[in-house]
Amino acid sequence: MDVLTIILMVIVVIVAVLLSSMIVSNMLSKQMRAIQAMIATSTLETPTKEVTQVKTSEGKKAEESFEKERKKVFQGVNEEEILKKLKQVIDEKVQNVLNEAKKKKERLLMLLDVARGYALGFISEDEYNAFLMKVLSELDEFKRLWLARFPSQNDRDRLNQMIGYVARTKLPIEVREKGKEGTVRLSPDEALIRITSNINSALSILDDLIRKRGENPAVTPLEIQLSQEVEKLRKKVEQLEARLQELEAL
């Protein structure tokens, strides 16, 4: 072999080695990137799973803790005792509703006195209206108590009518004149007459309710029926007594 041939063979061997090195290096680089991607994916998924597991575990612990607290609160609770105490409170609240009715009658009379003070110039419109709003609030509360003790649609209508009469006394009071447009504001004296009429109407309703329920307040249908029978017998006795008196007079 001559020198030129040897040189060409050396060059071919070097080129072949370089190409094979490049191919191997490229393959290794691809494999490394794939391995890094797998490692990154695994790294991201693992904390997520751990966090989910932690959250699930914490949620279960919270539910178990809540359930334990709920059982602790309701442990030893006697439903019958609770209902008994509730019934006692309600009974005490509504038992004296007739006494409350008499107190509301006193409040209406007091409202009438305040109206007289307005007519005399000692009380302003705002002062009267402020007192009126307070009385109306008390009457509304009284209506709820009354209906809790005597659940009657007729009583409900009568109580609403009573409250309506009182509400009409709000100042200023204006009326329409016949044959004229608009309204005319009543003077303090004229307003007092209108207020007195409305309050007396409210008092009449309240007195009627007290009179009807005062002696024998009935709640259940059976009690209502018995009270009606007693009322019939009482009237018969009165008629017999009157007849006896007539006979004795003869």
Side-chain angles (χ1 to χ4, degrees), residues 118 123 158 194:
Y118 163 73
I123 300 294
R158 295 287 284 164
R194 186 63 61 90

Side-chain angles (χ1 to χ4, degrees), residues 16 24 125:
V24 171
E125 283 188 5

Side-chain angles (χ1 to χ4, degrees), residues 15-32:
V15 170
V17 171
L18 289 173
L19 287 173
S20 61
S21 298
M22 290 176 63
I23 293 170
V24 171
S25 177
N26 190 23
M27 292 176 63
L28 290 173
S29 178
K30 289 181 179 179
Q31 290 180 356
M32 288 297 295

